[in-house]
Amino acid sequence: PKYRGAAPIQWAIVRGETRTGVTTMRIDAGLDTGEMLLKAETEIGPEENAVELGVRLAAMGADLLVETLEGLRAGRIVAEKQDHTQATLAPLLKKEDGAIDWSQPAQTIHNRVRGLQPWPGAQTGFRGVPLHVWKTRPCDAAYGGEKFPGRVLRLKPLVVACGEGGLELLEVQLEGRKRISAADFANGQRLTDNDILGA
């Protein structure tokens, strides 16, 4: 496994991976370092979040475990050592991992929004109140507002400037409120193109 630790699904998405998978392995003294028995790979959808991917990988893992047990019983499986130089740490998630840095590229922020669901989620500030960003979509580079990261560039659709390109917000949630569409948020808060998220 490339990602070893407590949150491999989340970090794979946050770091922009497009493929992932499950592995059955022997247990040894290290953290996910044992010999591999069987592997199965899958694509990560460009809009897929950690919850959705986790459901798919759980089903894949269950099937692979049955196949592994049958293969071990029949003597068909030859254990394979891992290439430890390819491994990456996937540490336990912390609340601060969800902080959005608008100076990063739009795709990087989009990956963080997808990868950190359901917890800690991606958050920014809005007029002094925490704003949870649930769903996004990177925009055409023509929307870029790189000189003013976090600034609202457009209201319909709601697009925010990033360090590279723009990010369309689709679903958001103000602290203490319910999750709503970005269009309803923009209308309800009377957003203008002078608003800056994260300020």
Side-chain angles (χ1 to χ4, degrees), residues 13 17-18 43-49 107 110-111 114 136 138:
I13 295 176
E17 300 287 352
T18 57
E43 298 286 330
I44 300 175
E47 304 297 323
E48 194 169 26
N49 66 40
Q107 184 65 52
H110 176 63
N111 292 342
R114 295 165 48 225
T136 57

Side-chain angles (χ1 to χ4, degrees), residues 131-135 158 169-174 177-189:
L131 178 69
H132 190 113
V133 179
W134 283 102
K135 195 169 183 183
L158 179 55
L169 306 190
L170 300 173
E171 292 180 15
V172 298
Q173 182 176 11
L174 273 172
R177 306 274 186 89
K178 66 179 182 177
R179 180 173 170 173
I180 59 174
S181 72
D184 287 345
F185 170 74
N187 289 335
Q189 296 297 320

Side-chain angles (χ1 to χ4, degrees), residues 117-173:
Q117 292 192 30
W119 190 91
Q123 311 97 25
T124 188
F126 172 71
R127 298 176 184 168
V129 178
L131 178 69
H132 190 113
V133 179
W134 283 102
K135 195 169 183 183
T136 57
R137 180 185 300 130
C139 293
D140 189 299
Y143 282 132
E146 294 83 356
K147 293 181 181 177
F148 305 102
R151 175 164 285 176
V152 173
L153 295 175
R154 187 170 174 172
L155 298 175
K156 295 181 181 180
L158 179 55
V159 177
V160 179
C162 303
E164 183 181 305
L167 190 68
E168 181 182 349
L169 306 190
L170 300 173
E171 292 180 15
V172 298
Q173 182 176 11

Side-chain angles (χ1 to χ4, degrees), residues 9 50-60:
I9 295 171
V51 174
E52 295 161 344
L53 180 58
V55 170
R56 288 203 304 114
L57 291 180
M60 284 178 61

Side-chain angles (χ1 to χ4, degrees), residues 70-92:
E70 290 174 348
L72 287 171
R73 183 173 59 186
R76 293 191 306 263
I77 295 177
V78 177
E80 176 188 355
K81 288 188 176 180
Q82 293 190 46
D83 179 356
H84 300 302
T85 65
Q86 298 299 309
T88 304
L89 186 63
L92 193 66

